[in-house]
Amino acid sequence: QEKKIFVVQGPYPVMRSLLRARGWVEKKLPRAGRQPVQQHPRSPWPPEEEEEEEKEEEQRDEDPDGIHNFMSHLVQDQVPYFIWTNHLGAIDCQMLRQDQVVNHYAQAGAFATKEGLCLNLRNLPWVHQADPDTFFPRCYRLGAVDERQAFIEDFRLTAARSLLKVALERAGDTPAGTEQPLKSGKGPGNHVPHPMPSTVGPGPLLPPQLVEQALQVCGQHLGSLGHEDIDGDPPFPRMTGTDWDRFLRDYYRVVHEGAGLALSGAQQERCRALLRGLAGRLPQLAVEGDRNVWILKPGAKSRGRGIVCTTQLEEVLQLAQRCMAPSVRPGEWVVQKYVERLLLVFGTKFDIRQWILVTNWNPLTVWFYRDSYLRFCSQPFSLRHLDPARHLCNVSIQKRYPLAQGWHPRLPLDRIWSCRQLQAYLAQVGRAEAWHQVMVPGMKAAVLGALRSAQDLVVSRKSSFELYGADFVFGEDCQPWLLEINVSPTMAPSSAVTSRLCASVQRDVLRVVIDRRDDPTCPTGAFELIYKE
């Protein structure tokens, strides 16, 4: 009569325990239904939960007296009114009643896959007057011909800008427009200095024409950004494909092999002026670095599977060729600019998992969790070594690697921090206000931008809700950069921090989606309502 019957499918013993404590009775799925669910045609993206984590979590779901099993038997033929699954494919959405509460929305892949986020954020300026380039690193779908060509152009232009930066750095000059106001080197052990090789490297000194080419390319690009190229021909001929191949070969020699680079005084001044002009037009100039690192990602996989970092255009294009095979779904792989100028903690890369709760898509209603956690890499950050141990923060990736020799004693042995530990660290290095003034507001704005860009594509349902896990890194200035948003974020207790926080977020989800229906003034725990349309 009170409609307190629930179904939980997947590794969620905490959720089961919380519901039972509220007087709810579980309707248990058949054993086949408790195994990982086959992908549903309307939801072609995987849950983040891992099979081994699921088995481990299920074993913790104890019922020593058998009372819960007995009560479940009594309601086996009844309708469940709260359904929590790790995948929408476990539910026949067309058979749902209006009063059945479900923890998923259909078509959330519009923003909760790498491909969907890449595609739909481009619509953001039209629906929200916001620029995704200020919080989402540039991204292209390799299976789409026009986007692959746009990536090639972007890679070439980035190489030209990078060459100018390297030329100035080797001349002992900080490239204009690439400074960041809050340098990670202000804290002890926090900064990995970017190498500044001498003008003459191990190879022969390359001719000044290389810098001249980069200056011409960047000048033309700045003109196009300012729409100065609409009338008339460019002052210099456009570079051909062969010209670019030769330029990139020399660029690789300079940046990655340390070849010498000649730079005249006049060229130095032009480099400064061009980079200053480009900084006003390109929001990512300060964080894109000078090594032109890009990251290749399978469009619909989670937990860091299949991700590769590269500095070689040829490697990306070889993968793109495979993406065009008839057996591969178009646009399945994406390539994204790697954030090279990162905020580090004791020389180590980290990202943040931030929880977001959507309780309505029309009107859009978004909750932001005040607590989050950091995931550290196992090895010191280095752009000269692009292995996963240094660059992919996913727990499922890092657990394959041992901690680095000389692991800083203040870094966690389990590679996990709470956001409060990060705040304490920032305070110790003189950046106490960064979390509340820069990082949190930036994460909120990025999440809202991503959700609003896909709002018309997600299937709204009044009795549904969904918890998402958004992943961020931060530039040296503490500005957040959104990497991806995940459905069914893992609740596996991989550390003491995640054991506590994952239990808390599940408790507070129930406060928002169940308790508030009867009492709109009830406490919502650490969830903050940040947007209601």
Side-chain angles (χ1 to χ4, degrees):
Q1 290 178 342
E2 295 184 20
K3 298 183 177 181
K4 288 189 173 182
I5 301 171
F6 74 90
V7 164
V8 169
Q9 178 263 330
Y12 303 104
V14 172
M15 181 61 67
R16 286 188 175 89
S17 176
L18 289 167
L19 287 166
R20 288 168 178 169
R22 292 161 174 263
W24 288 64
V25 177
E26 180 177 11
K27 175 180 178 178
K28 292 197 174 182
L29 296 173
R31 289 306 303 177
R34 296 168 74 95
Q35 301 303 316
V37 180
Q38 295 296 317
Q39 288 190 10
H40 194 282
R42 287 174 295 178
S43 308
W45 62 94
E48 196 183 44
E49 300 288 355
E50 297 189 61
E51 290 184 33
E52 57 266 28
E53 290 171 347
E54 179 164 340
K55 293 174 185 175
E56 177 185 336
E57 291 283 285
E58 289 285 0
Q59 290 169 1
R60 297 173 53 200
D61 181 28
E62 297 178 354
D63 183 14
D65 300 325
I67 184 65
H68 295 304
N69 279 332
F70 175 70
M71 296 176 71
S72 294
H73 178 73
L74 295 179
V75 300
Q76 205 57 34
D77 296 329
Q78 301 298 313
V79 174
Y81 292 94
F82 182 91
I83 303 171
W84 179 285
T85 77
N86 62 5
H87 203 288
L88 184 63
I91 308 164
D92 186 346
C93 297
Q94 295 179 346
M95 299 297 292
L96 288 173
R97 294 168 35 157
Q98 280 189 331
D99 53 357
Q100 287 182 282
V101 177
V102 179
N103 73 319
H104 290 294
Y105 293 100
Q107 304 298 341
F111 66 92
T113 60
K114 300 172 183 68
E115 177 190 354
L117 192 63
C118 172
L119 178 63
N120 290 304
L121 270 177
R122 294 173 193 157
N123 300 324
L124 186 60
W126 302 100
V127 299
H128 191 36
Q129 288 79 51
D131 183 1
D133 280 350
T134 60
F135 64 83
F136 185 63
R138 307 188 299 278
C139 190
Y140 303 92
R141 298 176 303 151
L142 288 176
V145 175
D146 57 336
E147 293 192 35
R148 187 169 72 252
Q149 189 57 44
F151 159 70
I152 293 172
E153 180 178 353
D154 192 338
F155 186 97
R156 291 167 170 172
L157 291 172
T158 305
R161 292 193 296 272
S162 298
L163 191 77
L164 299 189
K165 295 176 187 177
V166 170
L168 285 180
E169 286 175 353
R170 293 187 182 184
D173 192 348
T174 301
T178 64
E179 312 92 338
Q180 297 199 25
L182 295 173
K183 292 295 183 183
S184 60
K186 288 187 177 179
N190 189 40
H191 183 55
V192 172
H194 297 275
M196 293 177 57
S198 61
T199 303
V200 179
L205 186 68
L206 296 181
Q209 285 84 348
L210 183 63
V211 174
E212 193 62 36
Q213 279 184 309
L215 286 166
Q216 292 177 11
V217 166
C218 290
Q220 290 168 354
H221 186 212
L222 181 59
S224 68
L225 292 171
H227 306 294
E228 297 172 8
D229 60 344
I230 296 177
D231 300 317
D233 296 324
F236 306 102
R238 301 284 183 183
M239 285 175 59
T240 65
T242 302
D243 294 334
W244 273 116
D245 291 343
R246 187 181 305 110
F247 177 85
L248 288 178
R249 282 196 300 271
D250 288 339
Y251 164 77
Y252 295 147
R253 292 174 62 193
V254 170
V255 174
H256 301 296
E257 300 173 17
L261 189 65
L263 181 70
S264 68
Q267 287 177 327
Q268 187 171 338
E269 182 56 41
R270 289 166 62 198
C271 284
R272 281 197 296 267
L274 274 175
L275 289 172
R276 190 179 303 113
L278 289 168
R281 301 280 185 176
L282 302 175
Q284 297 181 22
L285 184 71
V287 295
E288 69 180 18
D290 58 24
R291 297 186 70 83
N292 210 4
V293 180
W294 292 75
I295 186 164
L296 286 155
K297 304 178 180 182
K301 289 186 178 181
S302 60
R303 310 194 302 272
R305 293 173 297 174
I307 294 180
V308 177
C309 294
T310 183
T311 59
Q312 304 294 315
L313 178 61
E314 297 77 12
E315 185 175 349
V316 180
L317 296 183
Q318 286 172 7
L319 177 62
Q321 195 63 36
R322 294 201 296 272
C323 290
M324 298 303 291
S327 60
V328 178
R329 187 170 64 89
E332 194 173 56
W333 281 75
V334 300
V335 61
Q336 188 169 38
K337 184 65 187 74
Y338 188 85
V339 180
E340 298 183 26
R341 302 290 295 273
L342 285 166
L343 175 68
L344 306 172
V345 173
F346 299 115
T348 304
K349 180 181 176 179
F350 68 92
D351 71 6
I352 276 189
R353 165 58 56 89
Q354 175 64 56
W355 287 302
I356 310 298
L357 179 67
V358 175
T359 53
N360 205 335
W361 280 94
N362 186 20
L364 181 60
T365 307
V366 184
W367 302 76
F368 185 92
Y369 208 61
R370 293 188 184 94
D371 289 324
S372 53
Y373 64 92
L374 284 67
R375 305 176 297 189
F376 285 94
C377 285
S378 303
Q379 300 289 321
F381 181 74
S382 170
L383 292 173
R384 295 189 178 278
H385 306 280
L386 300 180
D387 50 294
R390 302 175 192 274
H391 297 281
L392 303 184
C393 300
N394 309 69
V395 172
S396 56
I397 295 291
Q398 291 305 319
K399 68 182 182 182
R400 305 174 192 169
Y401 299 99
L403 294 178
Q405 291 185 349
W407 183 253
H408 196 283
R410 290 181 59 191
L411 286 174
L413 295 178
D414 58 10
R415 307 176 182 91
I416 302 290
W417 258 7
S418 70
C419 66
R420 298 181 189 276
Q421 289 172 290
L422 175 64
Q423 292 173 59
Y425 169 80
L426 291 171
Q428 291 170 4
V429 299
R431 305 170 76 170
E433 303 303 317
W435 178 256
H436 292 292
Q437 293 186 0
V438 181
M439 300 166 90
V440 169
M443 287 193 288
K444 290 178 179 178
V447 164
L448 286 178
L451 297 177
R452 295 185 71 173
S453 72
Q455 186 176 0
D456 293 339
L457 302 173
V458 179
V459 178
S460 181
R461 181 179 177 274
K462 289 299 180 184
S463 295
S464 291
F465 69 95
E466 191 152 23
L467 181 70
Y468 304 106
D471 294 338
F472 290 91
V473 293
F474 300 87
E476 290 177 345
D477 58 357
C478 290
Q479 287 290 343
W481 293 93
L482 175 63
L483 302 181
E484 63 183 15
I485 300 177
N486 296 280
V487 296
S488 297
T490 181
M491 292 290 131
S494 59
S495 69
V497 169
T498 54
S499 181
R500 174 175 57 84
L501 291 183
C502 290
S504 296
V505 75
Q506 291 174 80
R507 178 200 64 209
D508 293 343
V509 163
L510 294 181
R511 287 173 165 172
V512 173
V513 302
I514 292 181
D515 297 351
R516 285 186 80 254
R517 290 187 302 176
D518 300 324
D519 179 10
T521 64
C522 76
T524 57
F527 273 115
E528 173 191 0
L529 180 63
I530 61 169
Y531 186 78
K532 185 168 185 179
E533 200 168 31

